[in-house]
Amino acid sequence: MPPVRSIWNGAISFGLVSIPIKLVNATESHSISFRQIHTEDGGRIRYRKVCELEDREVSQAEIGKGYEDADGSIIPITDEDLAQLPLPTARTIEIVAFVPADRIDPLQMDAAYYLAASGAPAAKPYTLLREALKRSNKVAIAKFALRGRERLGMLRVVGEAIAMHGLLWPDEVRAPEGVAPDTDVTVRDKELDLADALMDTLGEVDLEDLHDEYREAVEEVIAAKAAGEAPPETPEPAKGGKVLDLMAALENSVRAARESRGEEQAEVRRLPPRETTPKEPAGKKSTSTTGRTPAKKTASTKKTASKSASAAKKTAGTSKTAGTSKTAGTSKTAGTSKTAQKKTPAKKTASRKRSA
């Protein structure tokens, strides 16, 4: 990897400790840039700097700075005017505080830089600051000047190096007013459960595996056209639509995520939808299944009860007859049935006739 050119040279001010450092970019852009051309002949389109008062092109040496006032007038500002301004951080990254990392809102994050120790004398204080940041589990808040203006920065440890993130000033971050939905929405626990299941299924990802697919497709188009070939065909992206059934969309998302990861197809239980059956009009008999179920159960209960009653009567009748016969064959006893008492005299009469 070729050495990275420093964009700023200065020192870190850490109390009375001064650490000479070089500021280098920690990121690089891989986006593909295009030139403007004349579509008829492919000629480059260039912009020329023209003075609107003299209507002529001017050189870079003739160009200065100016501030446009509210009424449209221009107030010239020279480099000498700016050089006289008090800017103590012009060549110094001045650490002003140490705070927990979670105190920094990611919305404030700007460009990222590496701070490289400048020369052997800077190695010891550089290492001291790095190890102090590690042990404290905090980040350093600092002020520095770059490209003619004072900025805010955050120093933290990345590997064995110290990195600095440019921060926006707090008043440069807009409040999220009017961004969130202004309507009352109720999220059910079942919907949250499905959302949690989708999050668990997607899981984590190694950021090293992510890449810019659009840039790769553009590179293929450029390579094909440079070789005089037709650009490769790309599949048409799926069209998005309205989500009419949130539960179904969540279930399908969980299923698709599992399939894309090669997992065995797990059953996604369909949750019952909320009852949205309209009310029956007055005077109309309901034919819903819900209304018939209790009736069936009642009829079945009555039928069973009827059978039980019939069986009970039959049993009672059998017991009564058995009890009568048994009583009839015995002598006069309390509790003998009326039928047995009537039959007894008849038997005695028949016996007397035979004796005669």
Side-chain angles (χ1 to χ4, degrees), residues 207-216:
L207 296 180
E208 296 294 332
D209 296 336
L210 301 179
H211 55 95
D212 189 347
E213 297 180 9
Y214 178 77
R215 176 172 59 86
E216 293 173 356

Side-chain angles (χ1 to χ4, degrees), residues 100-119:
D102 58 8
R103 287 271 304 276
I104 307 301
D105 191 333
L107 286 173
Q108 286 186 257
M109 296 286 190
D110 202 356
Y113 309 94
Y114 285 131
L115 303 181
S118 182

Side-chain angles (χ1 to χ4, degrees), residues 1-4 25 28:
M1 180 178 177
V4 181
N25 286 319
E28 58 186 2

Side-chain angles (χ1 to χ4, degrees), residues 277-290:
T277 306
K279 294 182 179 179
E280 293 291 339
K284 187 175 180 181
K285 207 170 195 177
S286 174
T287 58
S288 65
T289 306
T290 308

